[in-house]
Amino acid sequence: MSFSFEELQWLQSSTDADAAIAQGSELELSQRSVVADTATLRKAWGDNARAVGELVEARRIAAAKLPGELAAGWWTDKDAAQQSTPLAVARFRARHLASLGVEVARDVTCSVGTELVALQEARLTCTGSDIDPVRVAMARKNCPDIEVRVADALESWEGEPGVHPVILADPARRNSSGRIHRLEDMQPPVGALVVAYPGHELMVKLAPGVDFAELEDWAGQVDVISVDGQAKEACALTAGLVSPEARDNEGLARRAVVIRASGQDESVDIVASWEPELAEEDVAARAGQPGRYIMEPDAAIIRAGLVRHFAAREGLWLVDPNLAYVTGNHIPAGMRAFEVLDTVPVKQLRKALQQRGVGKLEILVRGADINPDQLRAKLKLKGKGEATVVIARLGERNSTPRGGGLSSGVVAYICRAVAPEKH
């Protein structure tokens, strides 16, 4: 729940607010303790107790997305903090604009200002707007040197004559009924955004599982972005913002942007659909018997449909053309891998695990109608060893046997988990 204007004004201007926030920061404010903690705050700060707890909890959420020193003084409510883009993602996007020579940008759904911080860091002239006046008030505190105003995202406001800023938008993808899947049901509708800004280039943030076919009428490129293995969002870019290397390619260009954040260090790996040295056909043709290791690519690579590109770039191949597992005899940096110890039909899995003395089992399933928890209970393992079993359906359900290996169907790879190497 956001703040009322009265609550926010008290938090930002009362001489008692700093002491209240400091007291709230010392409380656990967990699901278990929130009733007692709120009572403690209410005893000290009366009707302002709820707002103090909201701000403290929101800043704790923001700390996972912002540097510590920024999160500590960040003005946000819990909903805004949960919905906000991680700063590492916003910085990547801002650097992309700067690399194209973009000088002016406007975030028309700026909320409390995360994207504005990144745009300013990249030395772009930027402005922001949001339909929620309370969030605009917080954005003004977070970004004191940037013009932020209350406005509907579809409301085009005058700037410097002849200047057409890049428009950044993040349509709401949830309502009271839950997640919104259709682009035209988002707020504002994506089609309406495109129509509202003729002559402007657009960057529109979307869910990472967006149907790319819905973007082809107006977008030239889509970036699917992950942070530490979790797909965070997709970002659709109009033609003028397409990466220079992709401009001669037909159709919608795709990038998987894999961001690894560790403390103050960030690394970015990009797998792109236009990389010329990749031979997807060769990767598909080699699909079949596993190498020494089986690996699952980063979520952004899978969502972007670039598993074969990634495999070709890394000298790997596919376990099966229809699955997102890759395999090979080396492990690319940063990937979790599973060293293959044995391959058996699922019906022989219990016996094979018993022979290895396995009692603790991780089960991963792709393409097969198997419930890991039900299978684990059925196996009734009692050993002291540990293993990972990767279960996959190879080939079509009624296809002919594979040459040189097990018949097509559901097979189990008994593996040893290998921790990812650091970059």
Side-chain angles (χ1 to χ4, degrees):
M1 179 179 177
S2 186
F3 306 110
S4 67
F5 257 123
E6 292 75 19
E7 287 175 328
L8 184 62
Q9 185 176 24
W10 185 86
L11 287 168
Q12 293 184 340
S13 60
S14 171
T15 55
D16 294 329
D18 286 346
I21 295 168
Q23 181 182 4
S25 299
E26 295 177 354
L27 298 175
E28 185 178 335
L29 289 170
S30 65
Q31 187 174 4
R32 177 184 63 83
S33 70
V34 68
V35 173
D37 291 342
T38 301
T40 299
L41 291 172
R42 187 175 293 113
K43 183 177 179 179
W45 310 107
D47 292 342
N48 294 304
R50 190 208 71 83
V52 173
E54 176 82 10
L55 180 61
V56 170
E57 289 187 80
R59 285 178 172 174
R60 289 173 180 173
I61 296 169
K65 300 180 178 183
L66 301 171
E69 68 278 6
L70 190 60
W74 193 246
W75 289 98
T76 181
D77 56 65
K78 287 190 289 186
D79 285 346
Q82 289 166 345
Q83 296 164 6
S84 67
T85 294
L87 187 58
V89 176
R91 282 171 168 164
F92 170 81
R93 198 165 15 244
R95 289 194 294 265
H96 175 72
L97 292 178
S99 73
L100 297 176
V102 172
E103 297 180 348
V104 185
R106 179 176 301 153
D107 184 352
V108 297
T109 53
C110 73
S111 185
V112 299
T114 305
E115 298 281 352
L116 297 177
V117 169
L119 292 168
Q120 188 176 52
E121 285 182 353
R123 302 184 181 277
L124 274 71
T125 299
C126 56
T127 53
S129 63
D130 198 276
I131 199 169
D132 184 339
V134 174
R135 289 189 176 174
V136 166
M138 289 191 281
R140 287 171 176 164
K141 283 285 189 178
N142 292 332
C143 310
D145 300 326
I146 299 174
E147 180 187 0
V148 184
R149 63 172 67 180
V150 178
D152 186 281
L154 301 179
E155 177 186 332
S156 180
W157 36 289
E158 293 298 326
E160 185 178 339
V163 176
H164 296 280
V166 167
I167 301 299
L168 177 61
D170 185 5
R173 302 188 288 273
R174 286 185 178 273
N175 58 22
S176 57
S177 300
R179 189 177 296 277
I180 299 171
H181 297 284
R182 297 180 67 249
L183 298 187
E184 294 314 299
D185 291 337
M186 296 176 182
Q187 292 299 319
V190 174
L193 273 169
V194 175
V195 171
Y197 292 98
H200 294 261
E201 300 295 342
L202 273 72
M203 301 181 82
V204 182
K205 296 189 283 183
L206 301 166
V210 64
D211 183 353
F212 296 158
E214 296 185 49
L215 310 177
E216 293 176 347
D217 289 343
W218 60 273
Q221 179 176 317
V222 61
D223 293 342
V224 182
I225 307 174
S226 70
V227 178
D228 294 333
Q230 294 187 344
K232 294 297 183 180
E233 63 184 51
C235 184
L237 293 69
T238 49
L241 302 180
V242 170
S243 301
E245 303 91 337
R247 290 176 182 169
D248 293 333
N249 289 261
E250 296 182 2
L252 184 70
R254 291 166 289 140
R255 288 197 303 186
V257 181
V258 179
I259 298 175
R260 304 286 181 188
S262 176
Q264 298 298 315
D265 297 326
E266 294 176 8
S267 66
V268 179
D269 182 32
I270 297 176
V271 179
S273 61
W274 59 81
E275 293 183 343
E277 72 277 11
L278 302 186
E280 290 187 85
E281 298 79 6
D282 292 344
V283 173
R286 295 175 65 190
Q289 291 300 298
R292 181 177 177 182
Y293 303 103
I294 289 177
M295 295 151 279
E296 185 175 58
D298 184 89
I301 296 171
I302 295 173
R303 293 286 181 90
L306 297 173
V307 172
R308 293 183 181 184
H309 284 71
F310 172 76
R313 189 190 75 178
E314 299 295 335
L316 306 172
W317 61 95
L318 306 182
V319 172
D320 184 276
N322 301 308
L323 300 178
Y325 283 132
V326 296
T327 186
N329 298 320
H330 69 281
I331 307 172
M335 288 196 76
R336 186 183 184 218
F338 305 97
E339 184 177 12
V340 179
L341 306 176
D342 198 3
T343 306
V344 299
V346 172
K347 290 182 179 180
Q348 299 177 19
L349 181 58
R350 184 167 184 259
K351 180 179 179 181
L353 292 173
Q354 287 177 332
Q355 290 175 343
R356 291 179 175 273
V358 172
K360 185 177 180 180
L361 186 65
E362 176 186 25
I363 302 175
L364 305 176
V365 180
R366 292 294 182 272
D369 186 17
I370 292 176
N371 182 295
D373 292 332
Q374 292 177 357
L375 176 60
R376 187 179 291 106
K378 185 177 180 180
L379 291 172
K380 299 179 180 178
L381 301 174
K382 299 180 180 179
K384 296 183 179 180
E386 298 182 12
T388 297
V389 169
V390 178
I391 297 175
R393 177 173 291 281
L394 305 182
E396 302 299 330
R397 290 180 179 270
N398 298 314
S399 61
T400 57
R402 291 168 168 271
L406 293 169
S407 298
S408 295
V410 181
V411 299
Y413 301 104
I414 300 173
C415 305
R416 178 183 67 88
V418 181
E421 295 182 4
K422 295 182 179 180
H423 287 273

